[in-house]
Amino acid sequence: MATRAQETLTGVMEQQGEMTPEDRFIEEQIEWLKAHRADTGASFTEIASWTGIAHGTVSNLLGVKGYAGNRKKYADMIAAYRQTLASQSELVADLPEKPGYFETPTSAAITRYLQWAQRGRLVLIVTGAGLGKTETAQKFRRDNHNSFMATMTASTSGIMPMQQRVLRSLGEKQAVGSPAHLSEMICDKVRDLRHAVIMIDEAQHLSIKALEEIRSWHDETGVGIALMGNERVQQSIYGVSRAADFAQIFSRIGLNLTRPRAVDGDAEALAAAWGITDEKMIAAVREMASKPGALRGATFALEVAHLMAVTQGTAVTLQHLKKAWAQNSRTGQ
């Protein structure tokens, strides 16, 4: 009843022109958030996450009955969220768009190895950090039918968590049962697929037994397998290559791409993707890409350099790039 009375009082105040500036501010923020939710199709949970307002309070604020408590606090939170959106929109409008996927000599090599895996082979792709392995694999998955990608973490090192992650990539959300049953489910899903390939990213997190389980799917169904990761997955596989218990996966690997650092052309492709033509700036990007973090680190520096330039109202220069690189190096990027 209190809420309904509050709404009635607000309506009367509006009609009589007696609404205070604070009341108008509160109503404006709530009405804006209602419209924002409608425009974005967001759930109450998402709105709560974006604004910092508790889920139950959001549903009341935006609901038919309204919120009976002190609404000024939440109106301020909505206004702060609006300001953040406005600031970000202004920044994005001035900054150049970050390049999406672009081909480099390294990404082209990775793609060729993934194409080989499509032929029912087991391949190993080992790269240093920041060379575009994951982004290349994601593009390959988007562009190729029957291509699936599962990314491993420290928590999926064992057989069953690994299987569940792979089944999710295959579209199975209810992955329950014993490890033997889960492998049967995986094999059943890929057995009759033409040119199917399962890409296992961050494979260095997997135990040898988990890697052997993946190898068994390849043996049973002929599905292509691409194990992708850093040098630790290579050490895991080749370190046990002479042990009788684990020699099988070693013997199945048809091709092994090892790319610990950027090669000629990688940095130049990154610079071109950002529209950089100045030779000194290209040389700086090349130097950055030769460091740990490779193209990823150079990309961070390019983003910060453009932000510096936008802030100063100038075109990006070599000095911006050097300052950005120094800043990223201090923060560990």
Side-chain angles (χ1 to χ4, degrees), residues 31-101:
E31 290 304 314
W32 177 88
L33 192 58
K34 287 179 180 178
H36 182 59
R37 179 171 181 255
D39 291 342
T40 60
S43 65
F44 285 137
T45 300
E46 289 172 320
I47 293 293
S49 174
W50 297 345
T51 61
I53 302 173
H55 178 278
T57 304
V58 168
S59 60
N60 285 329
L61 280 170
L62 304 187
V64 176
K65 293 183 178 181
Y67 180 72
N70 180 8
R71 301 186 300 167
K72 176 62 166 60
K73 170 185 175 181
Y74 303 114
D76 288 339
M77 295 173 73
I78 296 169
Y81 170 60
R82 292 180 68 179
Q83 179 58 42
T84 300
L85 291 183
S87 298
Q88 288 298 310
S89 296
E90 183 178 345
L91 181 63
V92 169
D94 292 332
L95 283 173
E97 185 175 351
K98 180 181 176 181
Y101 172 82

Side-chain angles (χ1 to χ4, degrees), residues 12-13 19 23 56 71 93 95 100 125-126 132-133 145 154 159 165 187 195 199 233 238 247 252 271 284-285 306 327:
V12 171
M13 292 171 67
M19 183 176 284
D23 292 330
R71 301 186 300 167
L95 283 173
I125 298 172
V126 176
K133 164 180 56 63
H145 189 54
I159 293 177
R165 185 62 61 89
C187 289
H195 300 311
M199 297 174 284
V233 66
Y238 286 86
R252 298 302 194 283
V285 172
H306 279 86
Q327 179 175 317

Side-chain angles (χ1 to χ4, degrees), residues 28-262:
E28 178 190 347
Q29 304 314 311
I30 293 174
E31 290 304 314
W32 177 88
L33 192 58
K34 287 179 180 178
H36 182 59
R37 179 171 181 255
D39 291 342
T40 60
S43 65
F44 285 137
T45 300
E46 289 172 320
I47 293 293
S49 174
W50 297 345
T51 61
I53 302 173
H55 178 278
T57 304
V58 168
S59 60
N60 285 329
L61 280 170
L62 304 187
V64 176
K65 293 183 178 181
Y67 180 72
N70 180 8
R71 301 186 300 167
K72 176 62 166 60
K73 170 185 175 181
Y74 303 114
D76 288 339
M77 295 173 73
I78 296 169
Y81 170 60
R82 292 180 68 179
Q83 179 58 42
T84 300
L85 291 183
S87 298
Q88 288 298 310
S89 296
E90 183 178 345
L91 181 63
V92 169
D94 292 332
L95 283 173
E97 185 175 351
K98 180 181 176 181
Y101 172 82
F102 55 91
E103 185 174 282
T104 66
T106 293
S107 70
I110 292 171
T111 299
R112 286 194 295 272
Y113 275 65
L114 293 175
Q115 290 169 338
W116 182 253
Q118 277 186 308
R119 296 172 62 86
R121 304 295 192 269
L122 198 161
V123 303
L124 179 62
I125 298 172
V126 176
T127 72
L131 290 179
K133 164 180 56 63
T134 298
E135 191 167 353
T136 301
Q138 289 171 339
K139 183 177 188 301
F140 188 89
R141 176 181 56 79
R142 292 192 299 268
D143 292 349
N144 290 269
H145 189 54
N146 292 336
S147 297
F148 311 96
M149 182 175 175
T151 301
M152 299 298 125
T153 65
S155 64
T156 61
S157 61
I159 293 177
M160 183 177 288
M162 173 275 293
Q163 293 169 313
Q164 292 170 330
R165 185 62 61 89
V166 171
L167 280 165
R168 186 186 305 171
S169 76
L170 293 169
E172 179 59 60
K173 296 182 179 179
Q174 299 297 322
V176 294
S178 67
H181 175 67
L182 295 182
S183 276
E184 286 180 7
M185 289 176 64
I186 292 169
C187 289
D188 287 344
K189 285 181 174 293
V190 301
R191 193 184 312 276
D192 297 323
L193 297 182
R194 185 174 175 81
H195 300 311
V197 59
I198 300 176
M199 297 174 284
I200 308 292
D201 197 16
E202 305 295 340
Q204 70 272 8
H205 292 296
L206 297 177
S207 67
I208 290 297
K209 288 186 177 180
L211 290 169
E212 280 292 334
E213 192 71 15
I214 292 171
R215 187 270 309 164
S216 73
W217 310 335
H218 169 72
D219 286 357
E220 182 171 337
T221 69
V223 65
I225 300 288
L227 298 173
M228 305 183 298
N230 62 25
E231 69 280 356
R232 282 193 290 134
V233 66
Q234 192 174 44
Q235 292 166 2
S236 295
I237 294 173
Y238 286 86
V240 297
S241 62
R242 290 183 173 82
D245 290 344
F246 300 117
Q248 295 186 73
I249 189 169
F250 172 77
S251 65
R252 298 302 194 283
I253 294 174
L255 285 176
N256 177 3
L257 173 66
T258 302
R259 189 65 59 87
R261 59 185 62 85

